[in-house]
Every structure is written in structure tokens, then in C-alpha cells.
Amino acid sequence: MLRVVWTSKLREDLRMSKRGTGIDSSLGSEMDANECERQGGSGAEGLSEMDLLIPKPLDLETQERLLVRKLDRRILPILCFLYLFTYLDRSNIGNARLQGLPQDILGGDPTGTLFDWVSSAFFFTHILLQIPFTVLSKYYNPRIWIGCTAILLGTCSTSMAAAFNFTSLVVARLALGTCEAAFGCCVVMYFSFYYTKAEYGTRIASWFAFAAVAGASGGLFAYIIQDIKVSFARWRLLFLLEGTPTILLGLLCLLMLPDRPESTSFLTETERRIAIGRMNRGTRGDVGEVVRRSHIIAAFQDWRIYVAAVIYFGLNCALASLSAFLPTIIATMGHRNAMAQLLTVPPYAMACCVMIAASHSSDRLQIRGPLLFCTSAIGGLGYMILRYGAAHQQGVRYGATFLVTSGTYASIGLMIAWFGHNLGSETKKATGIPLYGAIGQCGSILGSQLYPLTHGPAYTHGLTVSAFLLFLAALCALLLSASFYLDNIQRDQRYGKPDPNDMVDTSVLADKAPGFRYIP
């Protein structure tokens, strides 16, 4: 009796599934059902009712894919939008310049020198405090650390709206740089807790792409605010509107951002085991609050970090030039200030797309250096066109800004992802990343000083220096890539080729461990 019932049910299911396929459903159902009967009644006697109701367990690959999707839905929106507004907080000083800030509190600043120092003040504390803050963050819950620093960062940004003279504005920028020093590198470290080296570059690019979005939306916000009727200066309104969301997103981090994989309540026990296994592919993650002093020393002795600092110096010089002076450069093409703000949007939008595409390709190919060489050279080419392009060829010069933004932003995304894996251990990353970042940020100080008003409208000196440093970064990228590639070959010959999914004990030797392999 049971066999007849299940055979009838099987025939009905098959009939429903084959509708619209062009197959004679009655014939197909009869044949499939008879086949089941010939195989010993597998449709009825081979399976119990409970067997049919209980879902099959998912294979490990499917579980991992679902975990990554779950992490992306929670981590990326929070951190990407947070970076959007934190980057607006640090770069909106360039838009405020065109809205009358120098005339209101800098005494007109006819030479542009005071504004240059205001723009540079952010980087002094940012450079000095990156290393101690990033190492110190290893002792704290990342959710609490990132959330609190974001709240403080937004508070410092909004406080710039209350500035009344040069000194008060410099103090606010110094405080902003202090909070940014505690924020940026810690987020780069945080991504390495959850994403493998085959996923890391794309996530870092997605996160850093919001710096390009900030550049685009910053110009758009400034354009909109330009025509708002308020009883106080519009640049004050700009600081208030762009600083407040950072505070709110910092509170959201405290509530929703996952902790480290071994301690977060966001994951189930099965997901936690998978996440910890992913964290230990090709390397070995720390458990809990661990700082290895020998790895701190090793980071300071690693020559590759200083070559990376040269690259990052050139990239940050170009980036600081873009953040503070792109609206001014476009204004020299004959556009009024409001239109110059709006015309900064397309180059930044293009940069966002190019950055994600380049980083995704680097993840798929598992190379960083050759792509970094290409993107840096593209940025340098853009600056050379701005430098030597005829003043009347406004379309060509505007097109060059697309090359500059795309090349610079894509290069920085690749650079951050490159050393997010290649330093081996968490402690060496916590020291090495802010070390080359701190040296590289000196380029930001240089970049913010390269375009005084007295050099306008051509700005030949600033454009030449920016182009030279980007070409130098391209050459250094090739040097580092070749070094990593040759080191991998030597280790393969000496120790054999390892399984890339195996855990490598980097707790003692960091990236010098025999089983560790670099991304060239």
C-alpha cells in the first residue's frame, strides 16, 4: 500500500516538474516511476518519510560561501559608509576653501600659506600616532575601538564649524588627525580577520572606493550647499552636515559590528569554526589580545616596508593634492566655483569603478605589483598631461583629471591590500602597515603644500612633483614584486610547494616562516 502511494506521488511530482519542457509528461512519469519500482522501490522503501523531510547537510564550500555573504551584508555597509563620511571629514577643507573660509577666519589669506598649514595640520598627528594606536588596538575589542574612534572623529569634524581664527582651526585639524590615526589602519587590520587573501583586495577596494565616492559626493554636497540660504557661513554648514553622520555611524558600529571571529556572537558555532579556519589559511591568526614584541622589531628591520613607504609617499602626495586642490585646479579651466565643485564628481566616480576592477583582478590573479605599476603610471601620465597640456585645451586637461583620480585611487587600494597579507602575522601587520603608512603620509603634507595660490593658474611645480613621485612609485612596485616572486621560488625549491589552504605557523618568524608565501 505504501509503495503504491509513494509511486503515485512520485509520478505526480515528475508530471509537475516536466510541464512546459516539451516532454510528454505522462510518458516520462510512467517510465521514471517504473524505473523506481525496478530498483527495489527506492521511491518508497529506500527512503523513509523523515529522510525526505530532513534537508541534506550543506557541503563546506557552500557553507563558506554563505558565511562570506553574511559577513559582506553586515561588515561592508557599515564600514564603507563610515569611511565615506570620515573621508569627507578629512578632505572637505578643500571645498570649504571655495566657500569663503579663508576670507572669514584667515584674514583673506592672499598667498594661501595659512590654508596650506591648516590642511597640513591633520597629517602631523596622523603620522606620529598611527603606529602606537594600531598596536594598542590589538588589546581591545575591534567593535569598541572602531566605534569609539569614529564617534570622536565625527565630533572633531563638526567642531571645525565653530572655528573662529587660524589657531582654533589648526587645533581642530590636529584632533581630527589624532582620531584618524586610531581609525584607518585598524579597519585594514579588521578586514584580515574575516577575509582570505583571495577576497581581501576586493573588500579593501570596496571600502577604500568610498574615498572616491567621498570626493564625488563632497563636490556635490558643496554645490548644493552653495545655494542654501542660512544665517551663517556655508562652510560652517558643510562641516556640520558632513560630521554628524560619522557620529551616528560610530554608534551603529558599537551595536552591530562583529567582534573577532573567536569571540563574536554574530556567528553560530559552525560559522565560527569556518571563520577561524579561513583566518588561518596560508598564515596564522592570533587568538585574543596578543602582541608579539619580536614581530614589532622585525617590522622596523624589514627593508620592504621602507620601499613600500616610498610608494605610499608618492601616492599620498597625489591623493592629498586631489583632496585639497582638485576643485581649484578645475576652477583654473575657466569654471565658476560652484561648477568647479560639480565637475569634480565624474573623475571620482570613474576612480571608484577602476579601483574595484583592478583589485578584483588582483584577487583573481593573485598579483599586486604589476597592476600597481600600471595604475601608478596612469596617474603619473595624467599629471603630465595637466602639466604640459595647452591652457586652451580644456577638454584634454579635464580628461587628464580622470587619469589622475583613477590611477591614484586604484594604486592605493592595491597597496593597502598588498601588505595586508605579505607581513605574515597580526602583530607585524599592526606595526608594518602604520609604519609605511606614517612615512607615506608625509607625502600628504607635501601634496597639501604644492599648490599655493601664488603658483596659479598653471601650478606647474606641483603637477611636476606629483607626476615624478607617481612614476617613482611605479618603479618601486616592480622592484617589490620581483623581490616577492624570487623569494617564493627560493622557498619552493628549498621546502617544497605548500598547499595554499594549509595553516602556516607564523607565530615565531612571521612572513619568514618556511611555509609562508608572498603575493607578488
Side-chain angles (χ1 to χ4, degrees), residues 92-154:
N92 55 16
I93 191 73
N95 298 116
R97 183 185 202 180
L98 295 180
Q99 292 183 336
L101 182 148
Q103 289 73 25
D104 290 344
I105 62 174
L106 298 180
D109 191 24
T111 64
T113 303
L114 292 180
F115 179 83
D116 290 345
W117 283 109
V118 168
S119 182
S120 301
F122 167 88
F123 299 104
F124 296 143
T125 49
H126 190 200
I127 290 168
L128 292 174
L129 298 175
Q130 273 193 77
I131 296 175
F133 275 157
T134 308
V135 174
L136 185 63
S137 71
K138 287 274 292 164
Y139 288 110
Y140 294 90
N141 185 316
R143 173 177 58 86
I144 302 297
W145 183 275
I146 293 173
C148 289
T149 54
I151 293 171
L152 292 173
L153 201 153

Coordinates of all heavy atoms in Angstrom, one line a residue, residues 92-154:
N92 N 37.1 67.7 3.3 CA 36.2 68.8 3.0 C 36.7 70.2 3.1 O 36.1 71.2 2.8 CB 34.8 68.7 3.8 CG 35.1 68.6 5.3 OD1 36.1 68.9 5.8 ND2 34.0 68.2 6.0
I93 N 38.0 70.2 3.7 CA 38.6 71.5 3.8 C 38.8 72.2 2.4 O 38.8 73.4 2.3 CB 40.0 71.4 4.6 CG1 40.5 72.7 5.0 CG2 41.0 70.6 3.8 CD1 39.8 73.3 6.1
G94 N 39.1 71.4 1.4 CA 39.2 71.9 0.1 C 38.0 72.5 -0.5 O 38.0 73.6 -1.1
N95 N 36.8 71.9 -0.2 CA 35.5 72.5 -0.6 C 35.2 73.8 0.2 O 34.7 74.7 -0.3 CB 34.4 71.5 -0.5 CG 34.6 70.3 -1.3 OD1 34.8 69.1 -0.8 ND2 34.6 70.5 -2.6
A96 N 35.6 73.7 1.5 CA 35.3 74.9 2.3 C 36.1 76.1 1.9 O 35.7 77.3 2.0 CB 35.7 74.6 3.8
R97 N 37.3 75.9 1.3 CA 38.1 77.0 0.8 C 37.4 77.8 -0.3 O 37.5 79.0 -0.3 CB 39.4 76.4 0.2 CG 40.4 77.4 -0.3 CD 41.6 76.8 -1.0 NE 42.7 77.6 -1.0 CZ 43.9 77.3 -1.6 NH1 44.0 76.1 -2.1 NH2 44.9 78.2 -1.5
L98 N 36.6 77.1 -1.2 CA 35.9 77.8 -2.2 C 34.6 78.4 -1.7 O 34.0 79.1 -2.5 CB 35.6 76.8 -3.3 CG 36.8 76.2 -4.1 CD1 36.3 75.2 -5.2 CD2 37.6 77.3 -4.7
Q99 N 34.2 78.1 -0.5 CA 33.0 78.7 0.1 C 33.3 79.8 1.1 O 32.4 80.2 1.8 CB 32.2 77.6 0.8 CG 31.6 76.6 -0.2 CD 30.8 75.5 0.5 OE1 30.9 75.3 1.7 NE2 29.9 74.9 -0.3
G100 N 34.5 80.3 1.1 CA 34.8 81.6 1.8 C 35.5 81.4 3.1 O 35.6 82.4 3.9
L101 N 36.0 80.2 3.5 CA 36.6 80.0 4.8 C 37.9 80.9 4.9 O 38.0 81.6 6.0 CB 37.0 78.5 4.9 CG 37.7 78.1 6.3 CD1 37.3 76.7 6.6 CD2 39.2 78.2 6.2
P102 N 38.8 81.0 3.9 CA 39.9 81.9 4.2 C 39.5 83.4 4.4 O 40.1 84.1 5.2 CB 40.7 81.8 2.8 CG 40.3 80.5 2.3 CD 38.9 80.3 2.7
Q103 N 38.5 83.9 3.7 CA 38.0 85.2 3.9 C 37.4 85.5 5.2 O 37.6 86.6 5.8 CB 37.0 85.6 2.8 CG 37.6 85.7 1.4 CD 38.0 84.4 0.8 OE1 37.4 83.4 1.1 NE2 38.9 84.4 -0.2
D104 N 36.8 84.4 5.8 CA 36.1 84.6 7.1 C 37.0 84.6 8.3 O 36.8 85.4 9.2 CB 35.0 83.6 7.2 CG 33.8 83.8 6.3 OD1 33.7 84.9 5.7 OD2 33.0 82.9 6.0
I105 N 37.9 83.6 8.3 CA 38.7 83.5 9.6 C 40.2 83.4 9.3 O 41.0 83.3 10.3 CB 38.3 82.2 10.3 CG1 38.6 80.9 9.4 CG2 36.8 82.2 10.7 CD1 38.3 79.6 10.2
L106 N 40.7 83.6 8.1 CA 42.1 83.6 7.8 C 42.6 84.9 7.3 O 43.7 85.0 6.7 CB 42.5 82.4 6.9 CG 42.2 81.0 7.3 CD1 42.7 80.0 6.2 CD2 42.9 80.7 8.6
G107 N 41.8 85.9 7.5 CA 42.2 87.3 7.0 C 42.3 87.4 5.5 O 43.1 88.2 5.1
G108 N 41.6 86.6 4.8 CA 41.7 86.7 3.3 C 42.8 85.7 2.8 O 42.7 85.2 1.7
D109 N 43.9 85.5 3.5 CA 45.0 84.6 3.1 C 45.4 84.8 1.6 O 45.2 83.9 0.8 CB 44.6 83.2 3.4 CG 45.7 82.2 3.3 OD1 46.9 82.6 3.5 OD2 45.5 81.0 3.1
P110 N 45.9 86.0 1.3 CA 46.1 86.2 -0.2 C 47.2 85.3 -0.8 O 47.1 85.0 -2.0 CB 46.6 87.7 -0.2 CG 47.1 87.9 1.2 CD 46.2 87.1 2.1
T111 N 48.1 84.8 0.0 CA 49.2 83.9 -0.5 C 48.8 82.4 -0.5 O 49.4 81.6 -1.1 CB 50.5 84.1 0.2 OG1 50.3 83.7 1.6 CG2 50.9 85.5 0.2
G112 N 47.8 82.1 0.3 CA 47.4 80.7 0.5 C 48.2 79.9 1.5 O 48.0 78.8 1.7
T113 N 49.1 80.6 2.2 CA 50.1 79.9 3.1 C 49.3 79.4 4.3 O 49.6 78.3 4.8 CB 51.2 80.9 3.5 OG1 51.9 81.3 2.3 CG2 52.2 80.1 4.4
L114 N 48.5 80.2 4.9 CA 47.7 79.8 6.1 C 46.8 78.6 5.8 O 46.8 77.7 6.6 CB 46.9 81.0 6.7 CG 47.7 82.2 7.2 CD1 46.7 83.3 7.7 CD2 48.6 81.8 8.4
F115 N 46.2 78.6 4.7 CA 45.3 77.5 4.4 C 46.2 76.2 4.2 O 45.7 75.1 4.6 CB 44.5 77.8 3.1 CG 43.7 76.6 2.7 CD1 42.4 76.4 3.2 CD2 44.1 75.7 1.7 CE1 41.6 75.4 2.8 CE2 43.3 74.6 1.3 CZ 42.1 74.5 1.9
D116 N 47.3 76.4 3.6 CA 48.2 75.2 3.4 C 48.6 74.6 4.8 O 48.6 73.4 4.9 CB 49.5 75.6 2.7 CG 49.2 75.9 1.2 OD1 48.1 75.6 0.7 OD2 50.1 76.5 0.6
W117 N 48.8 75.4 5.8 CA 49.2 74.9 7.1 C 47.9 74.3 7.8 O 48.1 73.3 8.5 CB 49.8 76.0 8.0 CG 51.2 76.3 7.6 CD1 51.7 77.4 7.0 CD2 52.3 75.4 7.9 NE1 53.1 77.2 6.8 CE2 53.5 76.0 7.3 CE3 52.4 74.1 8.4 CZ2 54.7 75.5 7.4 CZ3 53.7 73.5 8.5 CH2 54.8 74.2 8.0
V118 N 46.8 74.8 7.6 CA 45.6 74.2 8.1 C 45.3 72.9 7.5 O 45.0 71.9 8.2 CB 44.3 75.2 7.8 CG1 43.0 74.4 8.1 CG2 44.4 76.4 8.7
S119 N 45.5 72.8 6.2 CA 45.3 71.5 5.5 C 46.4 70.5 6.0 O 46.1 69.3 6.2 CB 45.4 71.7 4.0 OG 45.2 70.5 3.3
S120 N 47.6 70.9 6.2 CA 48.7 70.0 6.6 C 48.6 69.6 8.1 O 49.1 68.5 8.4 CB 50.1 70.7 6.4 OG 50.2 71.0 5.0
A121 N 48.0 70.4 8.9 CA 48.0 70.1 10.4 C 47.4 68.7 10.7 O 47.8 68.0 11.6 CB 47.2 71.2 11.1
F122 N 46.4 68.3 9.9 CA 45.8 67.0 10.1 C 46.8 65.9 10.1 O 46.8 64.9 10.8 CB 44.8 66.8 9.0 CG 44.3 65.4 8.8 CD1 43.2 64.9 9.5 CD2 44.9 64.5 7.9 CE1 42.7 63.6 9.4 CE2 44.5 63.2 7.8 CZ 43.4 62.8 8.5
F123 N 47.8 66.0 9.2 CA 48.8 64.9 9.0 C 49.9 64.8 10.0 O 50.5 63.8 10.2 CB 49.4 65.1 7.6 CG 48.4 65.0 6.5 CD1 48.0 66.2 5.8 CD2 47.9 63.8 6.1 CE1 47.1 66.2 4.8 CE2 46.9 63.8 5.1 CZ 46.6 65.0 4.4
F124 N 50.1 65.9 10.8 CA 51.1 65.8 11.8 C 50.8 64.8 12.9 O 51.6 63.9 13.2 CB 51.3 67.2 12.5 CG 51.8 68.3 11.5 CD1 51.4 69.6 11.6 CD2 52.7 68.0 10.5 CE1 51.8 70.5 10.7 CE2 53.2 68.9 9.7 CZ 52.7 70.2 9.8
T125 N 49.6 64.9 13.5 CA 49.2 63.9 14.5 C 48.9 62.5 13.8 O 49.2 61.5 14.4 CB 48.0 64.4 15.3 OG1 47.0 64.9 14.4 CG2 48.4 65.5 16.2
H126 N 48.4 62.6 12.6 CA 48.1 61.3 11.9 C 49.3 60.5 11.7 O 49.3 59.3 11.9 CB 47.4 61.7 10.6 CG 46.9 60.5 9.9 ND1 46.6 60.5 8.5 CD2 46.5 59.3 10.3 CE1 46.1 59.3 8.2 NE2 46.0 58.6 9.2
I127 N 50.4 61.1 11.4 CA 51.7 60.4 11.1 C 52.3 59.9 12.4 O 52.7 58.8 12.6 CB 52.7 61.4 10.4 CG1 52.2 61.6 9.0 CG2 54.1 60.8 10.4 CD1 52.9 62.7 8.2
L128 N 52.4 60.8 13.4 CA 53.0 60.5 14.7 C 52.4 59.3 15.5 O 53.0 58.6 16.2 CB 53.2 61.7 15.6 CG 54.1 62.8 15.1 CD1 54.0 64.0 16.0 CD2 55.5 62.3 15.0
L129 N 51.0 59.2 15.4 CA 50.3 58.4 16.3 C 49.8 57.1 15.6 O 49.2 56.2 16.3 CB 49.1 59.1 16.9 CG 49.5 60.4 17.7 CD1 48.2 61.1 18.2 CD2 50.3 59.9 18.9
Q130 N 50.0 56.9 14.3 CA 49.5 55.7 13.7 C 50.0 54.4 14.3 O 49.2 53.5 14.6 CB 49.8 55.7 12.2 CG 48.8 56.5 11.3 CD 49.0 56.2 9.8 OE1 48.7 55.2 9.3 NE2 49.6 57.2 9.2
I131 N 51.3 54.3 14.4 CA 51.9 53.1 14.9 C 51.5 52.7 16.4 O 51.0 51.6 16.6 CB 53.4 53.1 14.8 CG1 53.9 53.2 13.3 CG2 54.1 51.9 15.4 CD1 55.4 53.4 13.2
P132 N 51.6 53.7 17.3 CA 51.2 53.3 18.7 C 49.7 53.0 18.8 O 49.3 52.0 19.5 CB 51.6 54.5 19.5 CG 51.8 55.6 18.5 CD 52.3 55.0 17.3
F133 N 48.9 53.7 18.1 CA 47.4 53.4 18.2 C 47.1 52.1 17.6 O 46.2 51.4 18.1 CB 46.7 54.6 17.5 CG 46.4 55.7 18.4 CD1 46.1 57.0 17.8 CD2 46.4 55.6 19.7 CE1 45.9 58.1 18.6 CE2 46.1 56.7 20.6 CZ 45.9 57.9 20.0
T134 N 47.7 51.7 16.4 CA 47.4 50.5 15.8 C 47.8 49.3 16.6 O 47.1 48.3 16.7 CB 48.0 50.4 14.4 OG1 47.6 51.6 13.6 CG2 47.4 49.2 13.6
V135 N 49.0 49.4 17.2 CA 49.5 48.3 18.1 C 48.6 48.2 19.3 O 48.2 47.1 19.8 CB 51.0 48.5 18.4 CG1 51.4 47.5 19.5 CG2 51.8 48.4 17.2
L136 N 48.3 49.4 19.9 CA 47.4 49.4 21.1 C 46.1 48.8 20.8 O 45.5 48.2 21.7 CB 47.3 50.9 21.6 CG 46.6 51.1 22.9 CD1 47.3 50.4 24.0 CD2 46.4 52.6 23.1
S137 N 45.5 49.0 19.6 CA 44.2 48.5 19.3 C 44.1 46.9 19.4 O 43.0 46.4 19.6 CB 43.8 48.9 17.9 OG 44.5 48.2 16.9
K138 N 45.3 46.3 19.3 CA 45.3 44.8 19.5 C 44.8 44.3 20.9 O 44.4 43.2 21.0 CB 46.7 44.3 19.2 CG 47.2 44.3 17.8 CD 46.7 43.1 17.1 CE 47.5 41.8 17.6 NZ 46.8 40.6 17.2
Y139 N 44.9 45.2 21.8 CA 44.5 44.9 23.2 C 43.0 45.1 23.4 O 42.5 44.8 24.5 CB 45.3 45.7 24.2 CG 46.7 45.3 24.3 CD1 47.7 46.2 23.9 CD2 47.1 44.1 24.9 CE1 49.1 45.8 24.0 CE2 48.4 43.8 25.0 CZ 49.4 44.6 24.6 OH 50.7 44.3 24.7
Y140 N 42.3 45.6 22.4 CA 40.9 46.0 22.7 C 40.0 45.3 21.6 O 40.4 44.9 20.6 CB 40.7 47.5 22.6 CG 41.4 48.3 23.7 CD1 42.7 48.7 23.5 CD2 40.8 48.5 24.9 CE1 43.4 49.4 24.5 CE2 41.4 49.2 25.9 CZ 42.7 49.6 25.7 OH 43.3 50.3 26.7
N141 N 38.7 45.2 22.0 CA 37.7 44.7 21.1 C 37.6 45.6 19.9 O 37.4 46.8 20.0 CB 36.4 44.7 21.9 CG 35.2 44.0 21.1 OD1 35.1 44.3 19.9 ND2 34.5 43.2 21.8
P142 N 37.7 45.1 18.7 CA 37.7 45.9 17.5 C 36.4 46.7 17.3 O 36.4 47.8 16.8 CB 37.9 44.9 16.3 CG 37.6 43.6 16.9 CD 37.9 43.6 18.3
R143 N 35.3 46.1 17.7 CA 34.0 46.8 17.6 C 34.0 48.0 18.5 O 33.6 49.1 18.0 CB 32.9 45.8 18.0 CG 31.5 46.5 18.2 CD 30.5 45.4 18.5 NE 30.8 44.8 19.8 CZ 30.5 45.2 21.0 NH1 29.8 46.4 21.1 NH2 30.8 44.6 22.1
I144 N 34.5 47.9 19.7 CA 34.5 49.1 20.6 C 35.5 50.1 20.1 O 35.3 51.3 20.1 CB 34.9 48.6 22.0 CG1 33.9 47.6 22.5 CG2 34.9 49.8 23.0 CD1 32.5 48.1 22.7
W145 N 36.7 49.6 19.7 CA 37.7 50.5 19.2 C 37.3 51.4 18.0 O 37.4 52.6 18.0 CB 39.0 49.8 18.9 CG 40.2 50.6 18.5 CD1 40.5 51.1 17.3 CD2 41.2 51.1 19.4 NE1 41.6 51.9 17.3 CE2 42.1 51.9 18.6 CE3 41.5 51.0 20.7 CZ2 43.2 52.5 19.1 CZ3 42.6 51.7 21.3 CH2 43.4 52.4 20.4
I146 N 36.8 50.7 17.0 CA 36.4 51.4 15.7 C 35.2 52.3 16.0 O 35.2 53.4 15.5 CB 36.1 50.3 14.6 CG1 37.4 49.6 14.2 CG2 35.5 51.0 13.4 CD1 37.1 48.4 13.3
G147 N 34.3 51.8 16.8 CA 33.1 52.6 17.0 C 33.4 53.9 17.8 O 33.0 55.0 17.4
C148 N 34.2 53.8 18.8 CA 34.6 55.0 19.7 C 35.4 56.0 18.9 O 35.2 57.2 19.0 CB 35.3 54.5 20.9 SG 34.2 53.7 22.1
T149 N 36.4 55.5 18.1 CA 37.2 56.4 17.3 C 36.4 57.1 16.3 O 36.6 58.3 16.0 CB 38.4 55.7 16.7 OG1 37.9 54.6 15.9 CG2 39.4 55.1 17.7
A150 N 35.4 56.4 15.7 CA 34.5 57.1 14.7 C 33.7 58.2 15.4 O 33.5 59.3 14.8 CB 33.6 56.1 14.1
I151 N 33.2 58.0 16.5 CA 32.4 59.0 17.2 C 33.3 60.2 17.5 O 32.9 61.4 17.3 CB 31.8 58.4 18.5 CG1 30.8 57.3 18.2 CG2 31.2 59.5 19.4 CD1 30.3 56.6 19.4
L152 N 34.5 60.0 18.0 CA 35.4 61.1 18.3 C 35.8 61.8 17.0 O 35.9 63.1 17.0 CB 36.7 60.6 19.0 CG 36.5 60.0 20.4 CD1 37.8 59.4 20.9 CD2 36.0 61.1 21.4
L153 N 36.0 61.1 15.9 CA 36.4 61.7 14.7 C 35.3 62.6 14.2 O 35.5 63.7 13.7 CB 36.7 60.6 13.7 CG 37.5 60.9 12.5 CD1 38.3 59.7 12.0 CD2 36.7 61.5 11.3
G154 N 34.0 62.1 14.3 CA 32.9 63.0 13.8 C 32.7 64.2 14.7 O 32.4 65.3 14.2

